[in-house]
Amino acid sequence: MSHVAQSSYPSCKHALSLCQVLVVGCGNSELSEQLYDVGYHHLTNIDISETVVSQMKQRNAQRRPDLIFEQVDATQTGYESSSYQAALDKGTLDAMASEEEGALAGRMLTEVVRVLTVGGRYVCVTLAQEHVIKLAVEHFAEAGWAIRIHYLSQQSQDSDSSSFALAVFVLICTKFRQPPPFAVLEMCQGEDGAPYRLASVSELLSAIKERQAYALMLQKLRGGTDTLTTPSLTLCHAATGRPRYTLAVQDSLPSTKVPRANHFAIFIVPQGRESDWLYGSAEGRAQLASSAKFRRLIIVSMHRDQEYEDIQAVQSELSPMVMELAPPGMPDNQQVPFLSVGGDLGWREVVGRGVSEITGEYSVENVRGEDGHLYRRLVFMNNTQLVQSESRLQSTTTSSSAHKKKSKKKSKPPATDAAVSAGKGHTVDRGFLCCTHHEVMVAGLAVLGTEAIKNKDVLVSVLVVGLGGGGLPQFLRDFVPGVRVEVVELDPAVLEVAQTWFGFQTDDRLKVILGDGLEHISTLASQGGHSYDVIMFDVDSKDPTLGMSCPPPAFVETPLLEKVFKLLTPRGVFMLNLVCRDPSLRQSVMERVQAVFPCVFSRPVEGEVNEVLLCCRGGGEGHKPSVVPQELQQAAKSLQAVLRNSSQNAPCTPQIDISAMLKNLRVT
């Protein structure tokens, strides 16, 4: 702490004990009376209301004869300049800031600046609404005053569970003879907490907003938490103002048997894993808390673009704050464990960034999975809890060695430099599909029948709507002989990312059409002469409020489904990745799909909301099967053999169990 900061701020109580104190907008509050009774006898109370001043004079005439009350306009007091050592304001600034778009409060603060002497302090108790505190802080910062804000925790306000829900702050501004060469902006916890310095007014305002959000979360926790709608809070880095930690509070289910001593624990999510189902979904966090067996678990996620030394440093940084989130009834001396996976913080490396005109900023990053493998992920910054695309990486040395051991037959050229991981010796493993729903879609080709799968001379035409990282269409092109794949992608930036970072390569068997998938299907249907054996919808919705994140609602409207039906060959199958949390909405989608397609199979994805619908064009009225046909398993074995044989000429091996992907298939 610098000498200026140390000498500028005695405690709040000391500030009030200075000789002459002006109480601005006293109203009928008991504050001045209480201060007088504990020894502060040099108080001048002013208020604009004649009635209030008269009442307060009468109320204190006998017991506090030297307590001064005057009817005075706080914006033009008429007092001599530099005549007071302190100005006390409890709520007046908050009230006046809403008048005249803040101009009235500005004139009051200007008058405070005038009447206070050098070294004098303006002490303001405030709720620090954004427009209020911004006005005050900017006013005194421009005047060259030192500014410190004390956050009064709810425990210090009132220990009762029904205490005031909003955060209360004390703003203390100190007048210098000469403005210091740098802004003195500080924040501290409680009346006597250690202050920390902030570099700018915007940083100070961000710190206040963070404390306000924290106070609201504490209030919410007093009523208990819903295990499926957990409160969360993002903490920002003091120096940069950028998000540093996100805390999610998860209470154990009532049915969970928790050891008596297990009140509270902190779980550190490995870097790069915050979007995993276990950490990123309400259901996953509930399962994590149940497994940890603590009454309350704080699940801490670390943000990209932040540096973290080790788990001990993270523990030291978080401990002072998270302890306030402890469940009621926890003993004061209770040891609180910090939990993690493997005892470390995990690993994440951002390898690419960009901006999509459609979706906004995105990040391409490598992370280490729980299985020890490296993975590459595409994440859009408007929804950082969702991994848009993911591929597993393999060492270029491993890939090259494996390829040399295969058949000496003529093979495809190895992956281009575009597939290499930022020059660090890794390529995308194109034989590994990270998403189970992609594996189910590949296995769904068995619906075409054994003949279509085994006969290399039979062309299998596939239309995929939604590219992502390109893993699904690339897999089809690489490992299914005779396949011709067309992909429709709306966002040119996504295509560029797929080619640059995910090893996606187009050729005569794999083409990309940039455009709107809905319009493309409508155009094909109206033109006629187009048909596909497989049409796949793997496109997400950008509206998180719909209850269905995949696909957008327009993709499952009856007119479009009828166009899809029209574009399929007689043996054709429509595959839909459906992600719907709303049961009634899901039922509506299913009814529309079943009204168009005579036979619909559903394959739920374990541990996720996803399910894949395999909708067959063939069949017809009276031909809908009641169970999954036996010949489908035979076709699955044929497809597995085809994939295995095709890998002999590929630089990597397809790693998928077709029969397992179709095992839980059911007729809807």
Side-chain angles (χ1 to χ4, degrees), residues 170-472:
V170 178
L171 168 66
I172 303 179
C173 302
T174 302
K175 186 175 184 177
F176 289 150
R177 185 178 303 278
Q178 293 292 333
F182 52 88
V184 180
L185 303 167
E186 295 181 338
M187 182 120 180
C188 60
Q189 175 81 24
E191 180 181 342
D192 299 313
Y196 64 91
R197 180 69 56 83
L198 296 108
S200 66
V201 169
S202 61
E203 283 188 25
L204 180 60
L205 296 177
S206 294
I208 293 170
K209 290 179 70 174
E210 182 178 293
R211 284 294 180 175
Q212 289 169 327
Y214 194 77
L216 288 173
M217 187 167 79
L218 285 176
Q219 181 67 13
K220 185 174 182 178
L221 290 176
R222 286 174 175 160
T225 65
D226 182 338
T227 55
L228 292 181
T229 55
T230 55
S232 64
L233 172 70
T234 297
L235 306 179
C236 296
H237 192 276
T240 65
R242 297 181 66 88
R244 182 162 176 81
Y245 297 104
T246 293
L247 313 182
V249 182
Q250 183 67 57
D251 284 347
S252 61
L253 294 167
S255 59
T256 303
K257 293 183 178 180
V258 176
R260 181 175 299 178
N262 286 11
H263 293 275
F264 188 47
I266 318 298
F267 183 90
I268 307 298
V269 177
Q271 293 185 82
R273 301 274 304 284
E274 61 276 350
S275 57
D276 288 8
W277 179 84
L278 188 62
Y279 312 122
S281 69
E283 298 90 344
R285 289 191 293 267
Q287 179 175 307
L288 179 64
S290 178
S291 301
K293 296 189 182 305
F294 282 86
R295 284 177 54 202
R296 175 168 292 169
L297 189 68
I298 306 297
I299 302 169
V300 180
S301 298
M302 295 170 284
H303 285 251
R304 54 186 56 79
D305 300 326
Q306 295 285 332
E307 294 184 1
Y308 306 91
E309 183 179 346
D310 53 33
I311 197 164
Q312 287 75 26
V314 169
Q315 179 174 346
S316 298
E317 187 177 357
L318 288 174
S319 290
M321 181 167 286
V322 297
M323 292 307 297
E324 290 184 305
L325 302 176
M330 188 180 82
D332 292 337
N333 60 351
Q334 180 73 38
Q335 293 293 315
V336 178
F338 275 69
L339 313 176
S340 65
V341 177
D344 62 31
L345 298 178
W347 177 81
R348 168 178 26 219
E349 176 190 30
V350 176
V351 296
R353 298 180 187 278
V355 179
S356 160
E357 293 184 1
I358 296 175
T359 320
E361 295 183 46
Y362 63 80
S363 172
V364 180
E365 46 201 49
N366 295 342
V367 302
R368 189 172 300 281
E370 191 172 10
D371 57 4
H373 285 286
L374 296 183
Y375 292 86
R376 177 160 296 163
R377 292 175 169 178
L378 169 63
V379 179
F380 283 102
M381 296 298 99
N382 62 0
N383 188 1
T384 56
Q385 290 302 307
L386 175 67
V387 175
Q388 188 73 20
S389 298
E390 182 176 29
S391 293
R392 195 170 77 178
L393 301 179
Q394 62 179 357
S395 167
T396 51
T397 303
T398 302
S399 176
S400 176
S401 300
H403 186 50
K404 289 178 181 179
K405 294 179 181 179
K406 292 181 180 179
S407 171
K408 299 296 184 179
K409 295 179 182 179
K410 185 177 180 180
S411 62
K412 297 181 300 182
T416 63
D417 290 342
V420 178
S421 166
K424 294 191 177 181
H426 286 83
T427 62
V428 170
D429 184 352
R430 301 198 324 206
F432 185 86
L433 294 171
C434 291
C435 299
T436 303
H437 74 273
H438 283 171
E439 294 184 290
V440 174
M441 285 178 157
V442 171
L445 295 177
V447 174
L448 298 176
T450 302
E451 180 62 24
I453 294 169
K454 294 179 66 175
N455 192 339
K456 296 181 180 181
D457 297 326
V458 176
L459 173 67
V460 177
S461 55
V462 179
L463 175 64
V464 180
V465 179
L467 175 65
L472 174 60

Side-chain angles (χ1 to χ4, degrees), residues 520-583:
H520 186 71
I521 287 175
S522 296
T523 300
L524 292 178
S526 63
Q527 290 176 346
H530 299 276
S531 61
Y532 298 91
D533 295 302
V534 180
I535 297 178
M536 300 177 173
F537 282 3
D538 186 27
V539 55
D540 66 329
S541 171
K542 305 306 179 187
D543 187 348
T545 67
L546 295 175
M548 182 170 67
S549 54
C550 192
F555 281 82
V556 286
E557 295 294 338
T558 299
L560 187 79
L561 294 174
E562 290 173 342
K563 292 171 184 176
V564 171
F565 183 89
K566 180 180 178 181
L567 288 173
L568 288 172
T569 62
R571 69 183 181 190
V573 58
F574 167 52
M575 302 185 189
L576 172 65
N577 177 32
L578 179 62
V579 185
C580 188
R581 296 178 181 272
D582 185 334

